């Protein structure tokens, strides 16, 4: 980021990511463009009108921009964009490659939390090499992948993600605290480092299920599902199972004009992942329930409440 940037802040300001964009823009003397509601085409029009150099967004916003017909996207000159910074939830592999193919290598993936602030940043170079990566720690931040005993796990092995920097929070208002080891704080996420030192997020600690004795994370299954051209969105959750303890259930939004059946979904996953990662339940829904920042509310899926969610005033 440079002085006198022109930043379009699409991310909601009440969310830490939108607030971060404002806080970065102020000392840079940036021109900041805001809209009350997000609209994909109007965002492109504003980028052209104000010659925005940076866009701060959450993944669902980028997904809706990319979902615009190519002829609509081509109406607007977005060549001024140098940075499209995304955070708030995971970026699907298909969205990463599709967005950069359409808008150039300008995408950055930011991983962090309210508790630990900045953890890692994936640059366009990182995302071209490994589209699902969360990147590497910025200056002043350290990360470690630890096992239950607090020992560091080797590259490629899933461990608990711990982060250390000068911006760790002091605790929750109810007095609860996150576990700290070696000056590093537990994020509540699990992941692994690849051979190049890039972090990959496997999922939340509380999202991992044990099915037939195997540890299974939903995110790799979601990545495989969203690679299918018929699928617009997918969310995978763990549900109770009398035989295996837990099993995976996939909730899928099919693209308009396409058709898909449960057996095809299971066969596709089985060809690419281990047997225990194949969702036994496949449910087709009109849309996934989301909160106002666009994050999927998996709790509602687990509870079986998949009725249409309320309108998202900040996502549109």
């Amino acid at each position: 980021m440079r002085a006198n940037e022109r930043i379009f802040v699409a991310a909601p300001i009440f969310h830490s990511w939108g607030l971060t964009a404002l806080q970065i823009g102020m000392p840079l003397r940036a021109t900041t463009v805001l809209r009350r509601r997000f609209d994909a085409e109007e965002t492109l029009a504003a980028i052209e009108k104000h010659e925005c150099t940076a866009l701060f967004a959450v993944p669902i916003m980028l997904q809706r921009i990319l979902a615009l017909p190519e002829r609509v996207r081509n109406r607007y000159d977005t060549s001024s964009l140098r940075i499209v910074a995304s955070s708030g939830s995971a970026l699907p592999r298909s969205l990463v490659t599709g967005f950069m193919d359409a808008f150039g290598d300008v995408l950055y993936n930011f991983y962090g939390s309210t508790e630990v602030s900045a953890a890692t940043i994936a640059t366009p170079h990182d995302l071209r090499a490994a589209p699902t990566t969360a990147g590497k720690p910025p200056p002043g931040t350290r990360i470690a992948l630890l096992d239950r005993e607090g020992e560091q796990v080797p590259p490629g092995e899933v461990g608990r993600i711990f982060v250390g920097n000068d911006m760790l929070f002091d605790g929750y208002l109810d007095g609860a605290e996150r576990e700290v080891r070696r000056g590093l704080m537990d994020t509540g996420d699990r992941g692994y480092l690849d051979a190049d030192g890039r972090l990959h997020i496997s999922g939340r600690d509380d999202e991992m299920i044990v099915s037939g004795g195997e540890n299974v994370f939903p995110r790799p299954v979601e990545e495989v599902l969203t690679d299918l051209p018929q699928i617009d969105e997918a969310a995978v959750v763990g549900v109770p199972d009398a035989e295996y303890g837990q099993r995976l259930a996939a909730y899928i939004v099919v693209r308009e004009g396409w058709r898909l059946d449960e057996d095809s979904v299971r066969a596709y996953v089985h060809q690419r992942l281990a047997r225990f990662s194949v969702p036994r339940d496949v449910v087709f829904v009109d849309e996934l329930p989301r909160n106002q920042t666009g994050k999927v509310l998996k709790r509602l899926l687990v509870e079986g409440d998949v009725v249409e969610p309320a309108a998202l005033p900040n996502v549109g």
Side-chain angles (χ1 to χ4, degrees):
M1 302 289 290
R2 304 170 183 167
N4 301 313
E5 296 275 8
R6 293 176 297 282
I7 305 174
F8 190 113
V9 183
I13 302 302
F14 67 79
H15 187 263
S16 58
W17 185 230
L19 184 60
T20 295
L22 273 185
Q23 292 172 325
I24 290 173
M26 288 178 180
L28 291 177
R29 303 187 302 278
T31 298
T32 305
V33 181
L34 302 169
R35 292 188 62 86
R36 186 172 295 278
R37 284 180 60 89
F38 174 78
D39 179 88
E41 185 173 355
E42 289 176 3
T43 295
L44 297 181
I47 290 170
E48 178 184 56
K49 177 181 179 181
H50 300 287
E51 297 182 331
C52 294
T53 53
L55 169 67
F56 279 70
V58 295
I60 185 62
M61 295 174 174
L62 303 185
Q63 183 174 325
R64 293 186 178 176
I65 289 173
L66 192 61
L68 291 170
E70 187 175 357
R71 57 179 173 76
V72 175
R73 299 200 308 263
N74 290 341
R75 291 175 190 164
Y76 305 100
D77 180 4
T78 58
S79 59
S80 59
L81 278 177
R82 296 188 301 105
I83 296 168
V84 176
S86 175
S87 187
S89 57
L91 278 172
R93 175 172 49 226
S94 57
L95 177 58
V96 168
T97 56
F99 192 89
M100 291 202 295
D101 288 347
F103 293 94
D105 287 6
V106 296
L107 185 60
Y108 291 77
N109 186 20
F110 179 94
Y111 167 64
S113 71
T114 301
E115 294 85 356
V116 304
S117 188
T120 58
I121 300 173
T123 66
H125 175 77
D126 292 324
L127 293 171
R128 281 295 186 190
T132 60
T133 187
K136 299 179 180 180
T141 294
R142 297 176 296 133
I143 64 170
L145 282 298
L146 306 179
D147 60 20
R148 286 296 177 189
E149 287 69 45
E151 298 299 320
Q152 195 145 347
V153 301
E157 185 173 320
V158 173
R160 301 163 67 199
I161 302 173
F162 282 73
V163 175
N165 54 41
D166 292 333
M167 298 178 285
L168 302 180
F169 87 144
D170 294 324
Y172 296 104
L173 292 177
D174 62 2
E177 297 179 349
R178 284 285 178 90
E179 182 180 353
V180 176
R181 290 179 180 263
R182 307 177 188 178
L184 307 175
M185 183 173 288
D186 182 14
T187 64
D189 292 325
R190 292 195 183 194
Y192 64 92
L193 296 175
D194 63 22
D196 294 310
R198 300 185 184 99
L199 178 66
H200 294 256
I201 311 298
S202 299
R204 297 287 300 170
D205 248 341
D206 53 10
E207 284 187 351
M208 188 191 79
I209 71 167
V210 179
S211 182
E214 298 285 352
N215 293 341
V216 185
F217 284 99
R219 187 177 177 192
V221 185
E222 293 170 347
E223 288 289 345
V224 166
L225 290 174
T226 53
D227 282 342
L228 259 175
Q230 298 98 320
I231 293 179
D232 189 27
E233 297 179 276
V236 178
V237 298
V239 296
D241 184 270
E243 182 178 0
Y244 294 98
Q246 290 175 293
R247 67 180 186 272
L248 292 180
Y251 293 82
I252 292 170
V253 179
V254 178
R255 293 187 190 276
E256 187 175 353
W258 293 77
R259 297 178 64 86
L260 197 61
D261 60 67
E262 299 176 19
D263 291 338
S264 297
V265 170
R266 295 190 189 96
Y268 184 80
V269 176
H270 192 237
Q271 290 171 1
R272 288 158 179 80
L273 296 175
R275 175 185 53 79
F276 49 78
S277 294
V278 177
R280 296 181 63 190
D281 302 342
V282 178
V283 183
F284 296 103
V285 295
D286 292 334
E287 57 183 327
L288 298 177
R290 296 180 181 274
N291 64 15
Q292 290 186 320
T293 63
K295 185 174 292 186
V296 175
L297 297 172
K298 291 190 173 183
R299 172 182 54 81
L300 297 183
L301 298 175
V302 173
E303 293 171 355
D305 186 4
V306 293
V307 297
E308 285 194 8
L312 304 178
N314 294 286
V315 177

